[in-house]
């Protein structure tokens, strides 16, 4: 993303500034003999500068969100608080390992997968308690959502929700791990370095 924004600044805004400088130089050269021509060039430079300023604002907004609500848009702790309040259940959140910065794409995937797992726990398992654990490991990060809901009696089918979770992690080289013992748990695992093949592992290892 940083590379793309740098390219945008260089190729788009940089080119526009060079063109405006050349137009200003041309306007200064013809100012005394062709004042109307110079006036037209100055007007064109002004219009182009307004457009360049708007493009720069959009670029800066991508680098630095407008307000704190954008920064916290995919914050897991906020999701936990909202889910507990809105769904009327108990949701806990724990962090293990040494926290480290993540790419925005990783934050987005973890947030959406946690959101889907919490919603499914209530909708399909009638869960009253959901525990969310974020584990920073040496080469990967794992987000596990465990609930106390009813365990499925039939084999787990990959419905729209599970497919969506898989699709979100496939581009990041992650994998989805589902366990039904001792409680229903779904884990999103993303690599912190390198990449691994994305797989879906389902275990039905009842005691």
């Amino acid at each position: 993303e940083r590379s793309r924004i740098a390219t945008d600044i260089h190729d788009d805004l940089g080119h526009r500034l060079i063109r405006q400088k050349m137009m200003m130089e041309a306007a200064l050269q013809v100012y005394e003999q062709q004042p109307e021509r110079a006036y037209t060039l100055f007007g064109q430079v002004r219009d182009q500068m307004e457009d360049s300023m708007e493009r720069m604002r959009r670029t800066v907004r991508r680098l630095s969100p407008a307000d704190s609500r954008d920064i916290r848009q995919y914050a897991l702790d906020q999701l936990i608080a909202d889910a507990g309040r809105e769904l009327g259940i108990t949701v806990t959140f724990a962090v293990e390992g040494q926290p480290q910065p993540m790419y925005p794409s990783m934050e987005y995937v973890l947030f959406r997968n946690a959101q889907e797992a919490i919603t499914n726990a209530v909708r399909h398992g009638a869960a009253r308690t959901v525990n969310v654990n974020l584990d920073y490991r040496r080469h990967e990060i794992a987000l596990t959502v465990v609930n106390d809901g009813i365990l499925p009696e039939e084999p787990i089918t990959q419905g729209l929700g599970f497919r969506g979770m898989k699709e979100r992690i496939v581009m990041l080289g992650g994998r989805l791990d589902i366990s039904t013992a001792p409680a229903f748990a779904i884990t999103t695992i993303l690599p912190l370095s390198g990449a691994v093949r994305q797989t879906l592992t389902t275990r039905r290892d009842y005691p």
Side-chain angles (χ1 to χ4, degrees), residues 42-124:
F42 283 135
Q44 292 175 352
V45 171
R46 178 202 59 200
D47 295 339
Q48 290 190 24
M49 289 182 67
E50 290 179 352
D51 183 64
S52 296
M53 289 171 62
E54 178 57 31
R55 289 175 178 267
M56 177 62 77
R57 291 190 189 99
R58 291 199 295 266
T59 300
V60 170
R61 281 197 292 268
R62 291 198 296 270
L63 287 170
S64 178
D67 55 44
S68 60
R69 290 176 301 177
D70 293 327
I71 297 175
R72 301 285 296 165
Q73 185 176 6
Y74 299 116
L76 284 173
D77 57 342
Q78 187 62 51
L79 169 65
I80 304 307
D82 292 344
R85 182 180 63 256
E86 296 171 0
L87 298 176
I89 61 175
T90 299
V91 186
T92 65
F93 181 46
V95 178
E96 298 181 10
Q98 183 63 42
Q100 53 186 293
M102 291 184 287
Y103 288 110
S105 56
M106 297 176 67
E107 294 180 347
Y108 174 81
V109 169
L110 293 176
F111 181 94
R112 291 302 184 195
N113 279 16
Q115 187 178 51
E116 180 69 23
I118 294 172
T119 301
N120 285 344
V122 176
R123 180 186 304 166
H124 301 297

